[in-house]
Structures are given as structure tokens and as C-alpha cells.
Amino acid sequence: MRRVVCNGERLGLRDVTEADVAALHTVYSHPAALQHAPFAPRSLREVTDLVDEAVEAALAEPRRLYVLAVVDAAHRDVIGVARLRIETELPHSAEIGFGLHPDQWGRGIGTDLVRLLLSFGFKQLGLHRIWGARSPANLPAQLAMLTAGMVEEGRIRHHLSTPHGWRDSIVHSAIEGEWSER
């Protein structure tokens, strides 16, 4: 099993563990943090199940799913969650997703997180393409992805069913040879 440890100046990424459930629940249950998510706030039991699934996915060979705790480098507190899923049919490509506790918003942490995910995917996993989809209304995610070096590719209409109805998604991507770590 490949354990993830990826550190940046302000953030770190590591595999989630059972000890992270309470901290992750503060993100997965926060209405503001989920305003653009395609799911309703999660219960403590649901977050526990997600962590259990992530721990199990970490044991898979080949590993296709990385569910990572986003850790504040200074205090080592879990402040968010990130996900990187390698596509089964296209193992050179992966989808990313991320969420931060609202206490972390407005300080460039999202951009740092996207940069760290791209660095992890390209440098440690040897991926060629990394992409992510966001709600059209999620302007902070747009800014984070663009500032981190991703390119906006376009809109997928009625991409996700949410508690509020169908939602479009805006797709961003980075290509290994085009992306440069800034």
C-alpha cells in the first residue's frame, strides 16, 4: 500500500484515518461548505462510512482512489478534504475534488490545495491529465483552479443531480507538459 504524504508551504496532504472523522464531519456537515456540493450535509455516521471506504480504497492494487486529509502545516489540524480518483479506463487521467472548512476561506488556501493536488498527481503518480468539475456558481473554486494553472474547458449541462435539482458543471483541467508548479 502506498501511503500519501505530500507537503507544501502552508498545507499537507495525507491519507484520511479513523481519527479524522470528527474534523471531516465539521466540513461535510457545514451548510456553507456544501452550498455547491451535489449532496446534502452528511451525518457523523455517513462521514465514518466515507472514511472506512477511503481506508479500504487505500489498500487496493492498483490504487485508484485517494481520499486525503488537508492539514494545516503549522498546527497539523485537519482543515479540509481532497479527493483524487484515477480513471479506470484512462489510467493516465484523474479527477480531483476538494472542500475546505469555511474558516479557511479567503486566504488563498484553495489555490494552494489545488497546486498541491496537481503536484501530487503529476510528480508522485505520473499522471498526464488532471481535471475537476465545479458548480457554475462556485467562483472561489474557479479562481483557485485558474490561479493554480488549470484551464477552463467548458460546461457539462445537467451533469449532477443535487438536492436542489439538476446542476451544470464547469470543467477545468491541467496537462502535465503544460502545467508548471509556481
Side-chain angles (χ1 to χ4, degrees), residues 52 122 136:
D52 289 345
F122 291 137

Side-chain angles (χ1 to χ4, degrees), residues 92-105:
H92 63 277
S93 180
E95 177 187 12
I96 60 169
F98 55 93
L100 292 168
H101 193 280
D103 291 350
Q104 304 301 316
W105 294 358

Side-chain angles (χ1 to χ4, degrees), residues 33 44 56 66 108 114 124 151 159 162 172 178-179:
L44 187 60
E56 185 176 323
Y66 296 83
V114 174
Q124 293 190 35
V151 173
H159 182 225
T162 76
H172 295 257
E178 299 172 355
W179 178 77

Side-chain angles (χ1 to χ4, degrees), residues 28-169:
Y28 278 115
S29 65
H30 200 291
L34 299 179
Q35 65 184 319
H36 301 292
F39 52 84
R42 307 281 191 185
S43 69
L44 187 60
R45 177 79 250 157
E46 289 171 316
V47 174
T48 300
D49 291 344
L50 288 170
V51 169
D52 289 345
E53 291 169 15
V55 169
E56 185 176 323
L59 300 173
E61 283 297 331
R63 186 169 179 183
R64 298 280 189 212
L65 178 63
Y66 296 83
V67 181
L68 307 169
V70 180
V71 180
D72 175 90
H75 302 101
R76 308 310 302 164
D77 296 329
V78 175
I79 59 171
V81 63
R83 185 177 60 81
L84 185 144
R85 183 187 54 81
I86 298 172
E87 298 178 39
T88 304
E89 299 299 317
L90 304 167
H92 63 277
S93 180
E95 177 187 12
I96 60 169
F98 55 93
L100 292 168
H101 193 280
D103 291 350
Q104 304 301 316
W105 294 358
R107 301 183 307 135
I109 298 290
T111 299
D112 288 355
L113 174 54
V114 174
R115 283 185 179 132
L116 206 52
L117 282 167
L118 294 173
S119 179
F120 170 66
F122 291 137
K123 291 181 174 181
Q124 293 190 35
L125 300 180
L127 296 170
H128 176 70
R129 180 176 191 275
I130 299 173
W131 66 278
R134 65 169 175 84
S135 162
N138 193 343
L139 299 182
Q142 175 187 26
L143 182 61
M145 288 191 273
L146 290 174
T147 304
M150 297 181 84
V151 173
E152 190 172 302
E153 290 187 339
R155 179 182 294 255
I156 303 172
R157 296 175 56 220
H158 284 225
H159 182 225
L160 296 172
S161 178
T162 76
H164 308 290
W166 287 99
R167 186 199 89 191
D168 292 0
S169 291

